[in-house]
Amino acid sequence: MNNRIITTYGQNLWKMTIDVLRKAELEKMIPKGSYIGIKPNLVVAKPSSSGATTSPIIVSALIEYLKEYQHDNLVILESSWIGDSTNRAFKVCGYQDISKKYNVPLFDIKQDTYTMKTFNGMKMEVSDKVLSLDFIINVPVLKGHCQTLVTGALKNMKGCISDREKRNFHTRGLHRPIAYLNKIIKQDFVLVDGICGDLDFEEGGNPVQMNRIFCGTDPVLMDSYIASNMGYRPYDVNYIKIAEEIGVGSADIENADIIVLDKDESIAKPSPSRKVQRLSQYVNEKDACSACYANLIQALARLDDEGLLHQFKNNPIFIGQGYKAQECDGLGIGKCTSGVDKNIGGCPPSTPAILDFLKSI
Ligand code: SF4
């Protein structure tokens, strides 16, 4: 399924996870008897509602799915960021409970031994446990990052190296080592938690309700899709570009085969995040679907980055089912606002489409 991305929207995380895995037929990709590593993102000891870490519900559904097909030689591995304890993250994020319930061991990569690996002359210390795996399932979070703009499948592998190597990655500028690491460690399957990742920071704090889960096998394509969901072009993220150049995968999101299983019909709720609240001041919202609203918020965040948001102070933006059949002046987002003077259709319109539309005004 190299150029396929299977995505679904909603709020029932368990069902959404099972749906995308069934469609992908993950069980058929895994050789019998494989030692399977599940790599969530537990960068800090904060619950997934913070926008920083992978939901334990998604990982639980993944484990039950694998066990249904007798893929039961499993381990959950992680190394939280320098300064935080992985074991504390396992506890706070709900993974100790998963381990007990499903009898799946937790492995703290900080306590591992490492082997020096080299790609293109760059040396790095990689976890021996990770190197011993037969099949790696990466479960990153769709979220922003203050240095690399986004973080997803490629960067989540940074949890598979020693803390000493993590420091080296920063002194080498992050992008190139992240790309090279993905030549050394091949992830076999990517299941993205796009439920409520943070708008800007890998450690959370400004979660945005995005209500989506998607999966695929090409980590470069998955990260390109993550970037696009956040209003960036794939090559805006340097490590995506480098990873493509060295043959980790393809960033050709235009020609990806994107299969959408279900749309999100939940109505967007007010966000507790101060930044999201600030961005939403530019929006007139009435009964907008969560996914539609999230795409607009991501687009506004990109306009804010570029200093273009002020233009919309006197140019109201409308979104939501409550504007169906209403006619007014302003900017309409989505098919529900087709009666607004200037409108972009779609249900929901994507973040890049909204961004292009708002920039064209
Ligand atoms: S266009 Fe309307 S119905 Fe479609 S996702 Fe947006 S708010 Fe929901």
Side-chain angles (χ1 to χ4, degrees), residues 288-289 292 320-321 334-336 346-348:
C289 300
C292 201
Q321 300 177 49
K335 74 169 188 189
C336 291
C347 182

Side-chain angles (χ1 to χ4, degrees), residues 86-135:
T86 312
N87 281 331
R88 207 165 76 85
F90 280 143
K91 185 166 185 240
V92 171
C93 302
Y95 285 72
Q96 282 188 353
D97 294 339
I98 293 178
S99 175
K100 273 190 210 128
K101 181 169 179 190
Y102 297 106
N103 197 22
V104 173
L106 302 173
F107 188 86
D108 178 1
I109 289 174
K110 284 181 197 280
Q111 309 303 326
D112 202 6
T113 54
Y114 308 96
T115 295
M116 194 64 85
K117 293 281 183 181
T118 307
F119 179 75
N120 263 3
M122 189 183 285
K123 291 184 175 169
M124 51 185 84
E125 281 184 341
V126 177
S127 151
D128 285 331
K129 181 62 121 183
V130 172
L131 293 173
S132 76
L133 298 168
D134 300 312
F135 197 92

Side-chain angles (χ1 to χ4, degrees), residues 145 149-150 199-200 224 226-237 298 302 305 351-352 355:
H145 189 277
L149 302 181
V150 302
L199 200 55
D200 298 305
S224 302
I226 285 174
S228 147
N229 270 262
M230 297 189 67
Y232 296 108
R233 289 178 301 272
Y235 290 165
D236 289 342
V237 183
Q298 294 283 3
R302 300 296 76 81
D305 295 342
T351 301
L355 196 52

Side-chain angles (χ1 to χ4, degrees), residues 5 170 328:
I5 298 174
H170 283 272
C328 59

Side-chain angles (χ1 to χ4, degrees), residues 153-155 157 178-187 248:
L154 295 165
K155 192 173 165 300
M157 300 314 280
I178 289 170
Y180 285 12
L181 174 62
N182 280 276
K183 270 308 248 192
I184 293 168
I185 307 172
K186 181 186 174 294
Q187 47 189 295
V248 177

